[in-house]
Amino acid sequence: MPQATQYILHLCDVSGEHRAIARFTSPTPFHSFHVGERFDDTGWKRLDGVDRQASPEKPIRYTIHSIKHLVQENATGVIVEYCVNLQPYEGPPSPVWRE
């Protein structure tokens, strides 16, 4: 029986208390991330129980501060975790995305 691979994306806000803010899972890999890239919250369900704070019309803007990858084996397969640390972005809006 082939073992399953599970992909998990953890998003953390490194400002203040450096806390996890969102978590996503997928049966396929997430695209690559790079330090310094913009990363906008367009309405994530928050891990702290607070309802969505942003929307596609009013995103919360971040840039990627740092990234950590974890790969673990367990009885059912492999877990690949992407831990993406975000910092608030207050810079000029993107001319392409107009945000």
Side-chain angles (χ1 to χ4, degrees):
M1 179 172 172
Q3 294 198 342
T5 301
Q6 179 182 22
Y7 299 90
I8 302 171
L9 172 61
H10 297 279
L11 300 175
C12 298
D13 184 339
V14 297
S15 64
E17 298 176 15
H18 190 154
R19 59 190 173 79
I21 54 176
R23 181 179 188 267
F24 302 93
T25 60
S26 174
T28 59
F30 293 94
H31 67 83
S32 61
F33 301 98
H34 302 282
V35 172
E37 285 184 334
R38 283 270 307 274
F39 202 110
D40 291 357
D41 174 351
T42 57
W44 307 326
K45 183 174 180 180
R46 298 293 177 122
L47 291 176
D48 58 8
V50 175
D51 202 12
R52 289 166 170 64
Q53 296 179 345
S55 68
E57 298 78 28
K58 290 193 171 203
I60 296 175
R61 300 183 304 164
Y62 295 97
T63 56
I64 296 175
H65 173 272
S66 56
I67 306 160
K68 179 179 178 179
H69 302 282
L70 301 168
V71 179
Q72 305 172 47
E73 288 186 286
N74 64 20
T76 61
V78 176
I79 299 173
V80 179
E81 296 184 67
Y82 303 82
C83 304
V84 179
N85 294 314
L86 305 172
Q87 60 191 7
Y89 177 74
E90 301 287 333
S94 167
V96 174
W97 296 98
R98 291 180 291 247
E99 307 174 349

